[in-house]
Amino acid sequence: MPFPFSRPFRNFPPQMVFVNRRIFVLLLALASLRAWGAADSAPVQPPPKLSDETIAQAVKQDDFSVPTPGELLAALNKVAKPNWQAQYRPPIPTAYTSRPQIALNLGGLIADGYIAVEAEDSQQVKNIGKDIMTLAKTLGISESVLRRGKTIEDFAENNEWSTLKEELDATQNEVKLAMDEQHDEELTTLVSLGGWIRGTEAVSGWIANNYTEPAGKLLRQPAIIEQLRAKLAALPAKAHEDSLVKGLEPRLEALQQMVSFAPGTPPTAADVKRINDAAADLIQSITAKK
């Protein structure tokens, strides 16, 4: 059973790629770039109406899409009432030197932000927001992205949880756009991958400790991992020289086999534990300082 998201994107199979409000938020982010670049003291003007050309360009930027961490969590929310605070992890380092490792951990931190929002924990949201901006700055991402840190903090302070989810969507999309503009397209793939792995670790961790068959079925994601592996294989040769990137493929292949159980047949509690262990092992390798 695939994640219960909205209609499939373009001609990809439904279980592979999904589109929801991310496209709207991405378009809004594109339209607002000029306003965000203004001085902090200047009032932000409403974004101009988007042209057909701008919309087409935004869609092109999202021609490869996997479920956001927020969607992974929302899928579990539909069949259970998770205690998301139980899925927090200790703070991770923010002084990495490898750009691929920074990108992977940036995606993981964005997933942590969604978890904190689901837990409605304003202090945790603010802490994670600061770490997100630290890593983003290390990658040389534009000031327009970094300014979202203050926005996230303000929304968390006011407990605006629905708006915060949209803000995290926008932050992730802006990060990817900024990387594309810097010709770091390979890092865009790694941000998506890091977010998906961390989201899967959190979801499978809760299911492993609170097993039910409906929840277990949510972990069937072979097509998503297949797409991630294909994008990983297509990275430039220089990226594959990175020891961390090099070690991702065999672990993803093993994880794909674990989540390829038959449609309609839930994994056992032991199967879910193996999936969670594999995702946790990936996260440990991604966060480890070299």
Side-chain angles (χ1 to χ4, degrees), residues 144-162:
S144 63
V145 175
L146 299 179
R147 290 188 184 192
R148 284 219 174 258
K150 182 63 169 63
T151 306
I152 288 173
E153 184 174 335
D154 290 342
F155 285 139
E157 191 69 32
N158 295 317
N159 298 323
E160 298 181 47
W161 305 114
S162 295

Side-chain angles (χ1 to χ4, degrees), residues 36-44 143 147:
W36 291 329
D40 289 335
S41 59
V44 177
E143 186 65 22
R147 290 188 184 192

Side-chain angles (χ1 to χ4, degrees), residues 147-225:
R147 290 188 184 192
R148 284 219 174 258
K150 182 63 169 63
T151 306
I152 288 173
E153 184 174 335
D154 290 342
F155 285 139
E157 191 69 32
N158 295 317
N159 298 323
E160 298 181 47
W161 305 114
S162 295
T163 307
L164 265 169
K165 292 177 186 179
E166 295 180 358
E167 194 69 13
L168 285 167
D169 284 345
T171 299
Q172 179 168 280
N173 283 323
E174 284 183 48
V175 165
K176 293 177 181 179
L177 284 170
M179 288 177 176
D180 289 344
E181 291 170 359
Q182 294 175 177
H183 305 290
D184 282 335
E185 291 86 353
E186 68 273 15
L187 298 185
T188 302
T189 295
L190 296 178
V191 169
S192 293
L193 179 57
W196 178 84
I197 294 172
R198 174 63 183 129
T200 298
E201 180 195 26
V203 169
S204 62
W206 189 89
I207 297 173
N209 292 323
N210 304 271
Y211 178 79
T212 65
E213 290 189 352
K217 290 179 181 180
L218 296 176
L219 295 174
R220 187 176 185 276
Q221 309 175 65
I224 293 171
I225 301 182

Side-chain angles (χ1 to χ4, degrees), residues 9-91:
F9 185 77
R10 293 185 181 176
N11 296 320
F12 287 107
Q15 69 271 30
M16 189 177 299
V17 183
F18 307 89
V19 170
N20 66 355
R21 67 187 177 198
R22 285 176 295 165
I23 293 298
F24 169 77
V25 174
L26 175 56
L27 299 179
L28 186 59
L30 281 171
S32 304
L33 284 177
R34 186 172 300 173
W36 291 329
D40 289 335
S41 59
V44 177
Q45 299 299 321
K49 183 178 180 180
L50 300 176
S51 66
D52 292 340
E53 181 180 356
T54 301
I55 293 173
Q57 177 64 19
V59 171
K60 182 179 179 181
Q61 292 284 354
D62 200 36
D63 61 357
F64 168 68
S65 179
V66 298
T68 68
E71 289 173 308
L72 301 180
L73 274 54
L76 183 54
N77 283 337
K78 290 184 177 181
V79 298
K81 294 183 179 180
N83 172 15
W84 289 115
Q85 287 188 348
Q87 299 309 313
Y88 288 177
R89 58 174 172 166

